[in-house]
Amino acid sequence: MAEAHQAVGFQFTVRPDGVDLKLSQEVIKNIYLSGVTAWKKRAIQFKSLVKMFSGRRPLLYSFQASLPRLPVPSVDDTIHRYLESVRPLLDSKQFNQMEILANDFKNSKAAQLQRYLILKSWWATNYVSDWWEEYIYLRGRSPIMVNSNFYIMDLLYVTPTHRQAARAGNVVHAMLQYRRKLERGEHAPLRAVGTVPMCSTQMERMFNTTRIPGIETDIVQHLTDRKHLIVYHKGRFFQLWLYTGGRHLLPSELETQFQRILNDTSEPQQGELKLAALTAGNRVPWARTRIKYFSQGVNKVSLDAIESASFFLTLDDEPQGYDPAKTRSLDSYAKSLLHGKCYDRWFDKSFNLISYPNGKMGINAEHSWADAPIVGHMWEFVLSTDCFHLGYTEEGHCKGDVNKGLPYPTRLQWQIPKECQDAIESSYLLAKQIADDVDFHGCLFTEFGKGLIKKCRTSPDAFIQLALQLAQFRDQGEFCLTYESSMTRMFRDGRTETVRSCTSEAVAFVRAMEDAGATNAQRLALFRKAADKHQNMYRLAMTGSGIDRHLFCLYIMSKYLCVDSPFLEKVLSEPWKLSTSQTPQQQLNLVDINKFPKYVGAGGGFGPVADDGYGVSYIIVGENLITFHISSKFSSPDTDSYRFGQHIWKAMLDIQALFKSDNDKKVVEHAKHAQVENGKKHI
């Protein structure tokens, strides 16, 4: 979701000690380390496969070893497709200059960089993913709150219980069930379009994982077999054990423990209230503060407890969720999940589970370890297990006997001096400035959904992307470089690729929509051409023929080799003013939404990507609902998230009208034909 922000904003800090004209030791060392990491992963997966072959049905990692490597595209293809993608955004002079830069790169420096990439692709399981994690995420020194982390919402219309402790009890227990199945490899293999196996390695770091701040780069720390949870409530941190007698705590036992925390009236210790704001500010101050004040004594013990926890739970004290009776309730809910109060989420954890006093839930996820569909897969399982398998009593409590003999959750202890408190306050003030600038709008489009779009014989994603192009032009009066996230998980260790949605075909369609002289037949023909183009580009991105990850890796290689490339510098500095992402529904078998139409998720979103642009996430739910999550910045005089939502709404209806007009025309023609045939019979 949020990778576009990082892809534009990252700064390269690799400094090779020296470069041999024939062979860069730094490059070879990096390629070697990539391969070592890849082989370690293979060893772990092999152990899982040994267990799986003893069973009959395919399990999570059953197809992992058979997945192909991500291919390195040819330089010619990548440059050709790149120039094609920027053609509608540049005038003739600008485009000619870009062609000169591209051809100069292709004819001089590209071959050397490409050779090293191919070498890396032979040795490592994926020539992109380790660099993507390191340079797009872990080397970023700006705050990850809003800029990188993303959120996922609860069920849109249904709240299974309004008891906060009970809902948290069921959800946490469902997460433990998911983790146990994950550790045993018992989840069904992930498949694209229901048939093609997809890579599952991102799922390995879902639990017991924390991003650890560093001076130049962060690291992702993943531990195994951690059996406790950290809970934050009203400025206090509690440690809660998730197992008793060798088993998971039952939902009713978890409810009891969470209620004990809610009932606790003790005050925060000095400096404890806003401590988590350190994870919301700049990374270097956090890294230095961590070394200076959290490397020994009770502070180290408590920080270790947080960083090694299964995950982080916040018991919030302000109700949230979608309420049709309250204006912009979805907007408030999204901002709460995205940044909260800037000190009540531990933004470095792989994910934060957020519980509200009205029973609503949600997730804030750190982005470096995995992409949104991975967290979404877990959340789908959790929500269906909560509602359809665990359930609640008539009074809204978790089912099962109450066990009052469990040891109480324990408070983490801190000794935070004044200098450390000042560092916490500085991080908080910066984070609050970022959070206050987020302009969010949630748009529930209910006029039609996937059902009607498919009747129009077009891809729902292409339909929406073209609507976004039309909305963007109406909102800004110009076209812009547009980022749509696609996945490359049909390849081993694959993550994402970019679909550049603002094509020449899309521009022609939008201009026709705004041209009063164009007929609907002309507009519809241009729409179909643009939709076909979009579908083809999406297909190329998924099958390893995208251009942006290839260009990114060529750029990284150029930095290792100290090769200056004005072309690559230009490409990697281009702003994505419109960044988009679709939240996929992956396990449609878990809930029959035809039978339970109210049990639909609301999807999730991410913060604004550019200072003067929009971030748009959308989820197509069932046949008659599309939810848009729109973000921008209040500080930009050119953007307004609510206004953009209205443009999207109108664009969707205007495109639908083209098909309605076409259908009406066909009905009339059919009626005329029938009338003529009827007349012939009478003659």
Side-chain angles (χ1 to χ4, degrees):
M1 284 183 176
E3 71 237 16
H5 185 283
Q6 302 299 102
V8 172
F10 84 98
Q11 294 181 337
F12 195 91
T13 56
V14 167
R15 294 187 293 274
D17 296 327
V19 179
D20 187 297
L21 290 176
K22 294 183 179 179
L23 195 66
S24 165
Q25 291 181 348
E26 187 72 19
V27 177
I28 296 299
K29 177 183 175 183
N30 191 279
I31 292 173
Y32 169 75
L33 292 174
S34 296
V36 169
T37 301
W39 283 99
K40 285 180 179 178
K41 286 184 179 179
R42 289 182 193 177
I44 294 170
Q45 289 161 7
F46 179 75
K47 292 178 182 178
S48 300
L49 285 167
V50 170
K51 296 178 183 177
M52 288 168 199
F53 281 124
S54 62
R56 292 184 178 179
R57 63 189 180 91
L59 299 178
L60 183 60
Y61 301 110
S62 294
F63 304 109
Q64 196 67 28
S66 64
L67 292 175
R69 283 185 169 90
L70 182 69
V72 181
S74 74
V75 171
D76 286 351
D77 285 348
T78 292
I79 289 179
H80 172 75
R81 288 175 186 148
Y82 169 77
L83 290 173
E84 184 183 39
S85 75
V86 297
R87 187 66 190 91
L89 304 171
L90 304 175
D91 60 32
S92 296
K93 183 179 179 181
Q94 292 170 327
F95 184 73
N96 288 338
Q97 290 173 341
M98 184 57 77
E99 267 191 319
I100 292 170
L101 288 176
N103 288 327
D104 178 66
F105 169 72
K106 182 171 67 172
N107 296 327
S108 60
K109 300 160 185 173
Q112 179 191 17
L113 305 181
Q114 181 79 345
R115 279 197 299 272
Y116 280 117
L117 276 191
I118 292 172
L119 175 63
K120 185 187 179 189
S121 75
W122 290 344
W123 175 243
T125 52
N126 191 294
Y127 81 94
V128 176
S129 293
D130 59 329
W131 282 353
W132 188 252
E133 179 175 310
E134 180 177 359
Y135 295 112
I136 295 302
Y137 295 112
L138 298 180
R139 283 185 180 259
R141 303 293 80 198
S142 59
I144 61 175
M145 183 202 78
V146 173
N147 295 329
S148 181
N149 286 30
F150 57 91
Y151 67 86
I152 304 178
M153 289 182 170
D154 198 352
L155 297 171
L156 186 61
Y157 302 118
V158 174
T159 307
T161 178
H162 294 284
R163 295 184 183 274
Q164 184 175 17
R167 185 78 198 286
N170 260 14
V171 167
V172 169
H173 184 78
M175 284 181 166
L176 296 178
Q177 288 185 339
Y178 183 90
R179 183 173 75 168
R180 181 168 57 194
K181 287 170 69 71
L182 184 61
E183 290 169 345
R184 296 174 178 176
E186 291 176 350
H187 291 290
L190 305 180
R191 301 173 189 260
V193 204
T195 55
V196 183
M198 294 196 298
C199 182
S200 303
T201 55
Q202 291 182 53
M203 301 173 80
E204 295 168 0
R205 297 188 290 181
M206 187 172 298
F207 297 93
N208 325 311
T209 299
T210 303
R211 177 171 174 161
I212 306 296
I215 303 300
E216 286 197 355
T217 184
D218 296 352
I219 62 169
V220 176
Q221 172 186 277
H222 173 65
L223 305 170
T224 56
D225 198 31
R226 290 305 187 268
K227 294 181 169 61
H228 70 278
L229 175 69
I230 296 298
V231 182
Y232 180 92
H233 177 58
K234 291 188 174 179
R236 295 89 43 84
F237 293 83
F238 295 83
Q239 183 171 359
L240 188 157
W241 292 99
L242 297 170
Y243 291 76
T244 182
R247 62 166 176 81
H248 292 152
L249 290 187
L250 301 174
S252 58
E253 293 171 329
L254 287 164
E255 178 184 359
T256 298
Q257 297 292 65
F258 295 142
Q259 193 60 53
R260 286 171 171 174
I261 294 173
L262 291 170
N263 293 342
D264 190 305
T265 58
S266 60
E267 292 295 319
Q269 300 161 69
Q270 193 173 44
E272 185 179 19
L273 175 66
K274 296 181 181 177
L275 175 62
L278 288 169
T279 69
N282 284 323
R283 304 304 292 174
V284 174
W286 170 209
R288 288 177 174 153
T289 301
R290 185 177 184 275
I291 293 169
K292 187 173 183 179
Y293 300 107
F294 297 90
S295 295
Q296 58 186 0
V298 294
N299 287 355
K300 184 180 189 307
V301 172
S302 294
L303 182 62
D304 285 348
I306 293 174
E307 292 180 342
S308 65
S310 297
F311 54 94
F312 192 90
L313 167 65
T314 294
L315 295 174
D316 244 342
D317 52 7
E318 297 177 5
Q320 293 289 348
Y322 173 62
D323 183 349
K326 294 182 180 178
T327 305
R328 304 194 77 165
S329 60
L330 203 61
D331 308 1
S332 172
Y333 182 23
K335 282 177 67 68
S336 174
L337 291 173
L338 185 64
H339 54 66
K341 298 175 182 175
C342 305
Y343 58 78
D344 52 357
R345 287 92 176 95
W346 199 269
F347 292 102
D348 287 352
K349 288 301 290 182
S350 53
F351 68 89
N352 288 244
L353 178 64
I354 299 146
S355 165
Y356 297 103
N358 59 346
K360 279 295 180 187
M361 305 288 289
I363 283 180
N364 178 289
E366 200 275 315
H367 209 328
S368 66
W369 65 276
D371 301 308
I374 301 300
V375 186
H377 186 275
M378 180 265 290
W379 195 231
E380 289 174 356
F381 175 92
V382 167
L383 292 181
S384 64
T385 301
D386 169 32
C387 297
F388 295 100
H389 299 283
L390 299 177
Y392 300 88
T393 67
E394 291 183 3
E395 295 78 21
H397 292 287
C398 293
K399 294 179 179 178
D401 297 331
V402 177
N403 181 1
K404 294 184 179 180
L406 293 170
Y408 274 65
T410 56
R411 286 280 302 273
L412 298 186
Q413 298 302 307
W414 308 97
Q415 292 178 359
I416 301 177
K418 177 66 167 60
E419 296 81 4
C420 184
Q421 292 178 43
D422 291 342
I424 292 169
E425 187 66 17
S426 294
S427 287
Y428 166 69
L429 292 175
L430 172 62
K432 189 175 186 304
Q433 185 179 7
I434 294 170
D436 289 346
D437 197 25
V438 175
D439 175 16
F440 183 86
H441 176 56
C443 177
L444 300 178
F445 184 82
T446 55
E447 297 291 331
F448 57 86
K450 179 174 63 178
L452 185 141
I453 295 174
K454 285 191 171 181
K455 288 179 181 177
C456 298
R457 296 182 181 179
T458 190
S459 153
D461 185 70
F463 188 105
I464 293 171
Q465 284 292 325
L466 288 169
L468 290 173
Q469 289 301 316
L470 181 55
Q472 161 71 23
F473 187 78
R474 287 172 174 174
D475 189 83
Q476 297 292 308
E478 63 181 11
F479 298 99
C480 70
L481 194 61
T482 304
Y483 185 113
E484 181 187 6
S485 180
S486 169
M487 65 87 181
T488 56
R489 284 164 52 216
M490 290 189 293
F491 300 94
R492 197 178 304 177
D493 291 349
R495 290 198 62 163
T496 61
E497 178 57 273
T498 305
V499 179
R500 294 178 169 232
S501 301
C502 186
T503 61
S504 295
E505 291 81 357
V507 167
F509 162 69
V510 170
R511 291 199 183 281
M513 290 295 288
E514 299 301 277
D515 180 3
T519 66
N520 279 350
Q522 291 171 328
R523 292 165 177 159
L524 186 58
L526 289 170
F527 171 87
R528 292 195 184 282
K529 187 176 180 181
D532 289 344
K533 176 68 174 182
H534 181 83
Q535 276 294 92
N536 184 54
M537 290 201 314
Y538 204 97
R539 215 173 284 118
L540 287 171
M542 286 182 65
T543 54
S545 298
I547 63 173
D548 283 278
R549 299 301 176 269
H550 186 205
L551 290 168
F552 163 76
C553 287
L554 289 169
Y555 177 76
I556 299 296
M557 193 64 77
S558 75
K559 291 300 180 181
Y560 274 114
L561 293 171
C562 296
V563 172
D564 290 329
S565 170
F567 170 69
L568 292 176
E569 295 280 352
K570 178 73 173 173
V571 170
L572 269 292
S573 65
E574 291 170 334
W576 302 93
K577 286 194 174 183
L578 179 58
S579 178
T580 70
S581 178
Q582 181 183 168
T583 302
Q585 288 185 288
Q586 303 170 81
Q587 301 167 91
L588 299 175
N589 60 305
L590 294 180
V591 180
D592 184 350
I593 58 174
N594 293 318
K595 188 176 180 180
F596 303 101
K598 293 295 183 182
Y599 285 82
V600 294
F606 51 92
V609 171
D611 291 339
D612 56 351
Y614 293 106
V616 181
S617 176
Y618 53 94
I619 181 171
I620 305 168
V621 187
E623 302 299 304
N624 298 297
L625 174 65
I626 304 171
T627 303
F628 293 92
H629 300 251
I630 306 162
S631 65
S632 62
K633 293 188 176 183
F634 285 118
S635 56
S636 171
D638 300 323
T639 58
D640 182 306
S641 294
Y642 177 80
R643 183 184 73 206
F644 194 62
Q646 298 305 297
H647 282 307
I648 293 173
W649 191 288
K650 187 174 187 305
M652 295 284 286
L653 292 177
D654 287 349
I655 294 175
Q656 180 212 11
L658 298 180
F659 288 94
K660 185 177 180 183
S661 174
D662 186 55
N663 287 335
D664 289 345
K665 182 180 178 181
K666 288 178 180 177
V667 169
V668 170
E669 289 175 351
H670 180 74
K672 286 181 178 178
H673 178 73
Q675 190 175 23
V676 170
E677 291 299 317
N678 191 42
K680 288 180 180 178
K681 288 180 182 179
H682 285 293
I683 292 172

